[in-house]
Amino acid sequence: MGIQIGGLLGLYGGLFCGVLGWYFGRKKAAKQRGLDEVHEHIWQKAKSFSWYMTIITIYFLFTLYGLGVTLHVPAVLGILMLVQMASWGFGGAVLTGLMFSGKEIDSNFIIGITVIVLSVLLFVILAIVSDSWLFLFGSIPFSVIGLYFIRQSKSKED
């Protein structure tokens, strides 16, 4: 296997662009007095949530390996990185939206979001590992169940 220049450029180019976005975003937020205790609390909770999702993914991948599914190191590390970063960003965005909407977080809402996120992650990982995109349809019933829970949480507030 030869050196893949495009892959390395994308890997380190993405890292460089991410660091630049993080730096300039924090600089702008500091000018607008956005780096306060609320900001730190939200993103600390989002980071905690992302580690839970990463641990669940690790156990799922170990289970697949134990069942005899062939896993390649770059694919596994890519899945773990995707789960970690996506759940961190998604968790932070949801918590920020909930914090500034002024609404109380209901347990049905949390259950609904968790069911949707876990089912989508599970079936995306299955689709990647099995090379069959048809697994993606498996997340639809679980997402409908999650939306039902989210809808129940909103109807209690009305």
Side-chain angles (χ1 to χ4, degrees):
M1 176 188 275
I3 297 174
Q4 297 179 0
I5 302 296
L8 290 174
L9 285 174
L11 182 69
Y12 291 108
L15 175 67
F16 180 72
C17 290
V19 168
L20 281 178
W22 173 80
Y23 174 75
F24 288 117
R26 285 193 61 91
K27 195 172 178 180
K28 181 151 177 87
K31 285 181 183 177
Q32 296 177 350
R33 302 179 71 153
L35 299 178
D36 56 357
E37 298 86 19
V38 174
H39 175 269
E40 294 300 322
H41 175 75
I42 288 171
W43 288 99
Q44 182 182 18
K45 294 297 179 188
K47 194 182 304 181
S48 173
F49 173 73
S50 71
W51 276 109
Y52 290 137
M53 298 305 290
T54 304
I55 289 170
I56 291 169
T57 305
I58 289 170
Y59 271 92
F60 177 72
L61 291 171
F62 272 134
T63 303
L64 285 178
Y65 182 74
L67 294 174
V69 175
T70 304
L71 301 172
H72 300 286
V73 174
V76 169
L77 292 175
I79 289 169
L80 289 174
M81 182 184 246
L82 177 69
V83 167
Q84 176 79 23
M85 297 310 243
S87 60
W88 183 43
F90 181 74
V94 167
L95 287 173
T96 300
L98 288 173
M99 181 70 79
F100 292 111
S101 71
K103 295 181 181 175
E104 193 172 317
I105 300 174
D106 186 19
S107 62
N108 282 338
F109 181 80
I110 294 171
I111 291 170
I113 292 291
T114 304
V115 166
I116 291 171
V117 169
L118 285 178
S119 67
V120 168
L121 286 175
L122 171 76
F123 286 104
V124 165
I125 291 169
L126 281 174
I128 290 170
V129 169
S130 69
D131 288 331
S132 175
W133 61 271
L134 293 174
F135 277 108
L136 296 176
F137 290 120
S139 66
I140 293 172
F142 295 102
S143 297
V144 170
I145 292 169
L147 288 172
Y148 173 75
F149 276 102
I150 292 171
R151 180 77 176 149
Q152 289 297 337
S153 70
K154 289 184 178 182
S155 66
K156 287 182 181 177
E157 294 173 5
D158 294 338

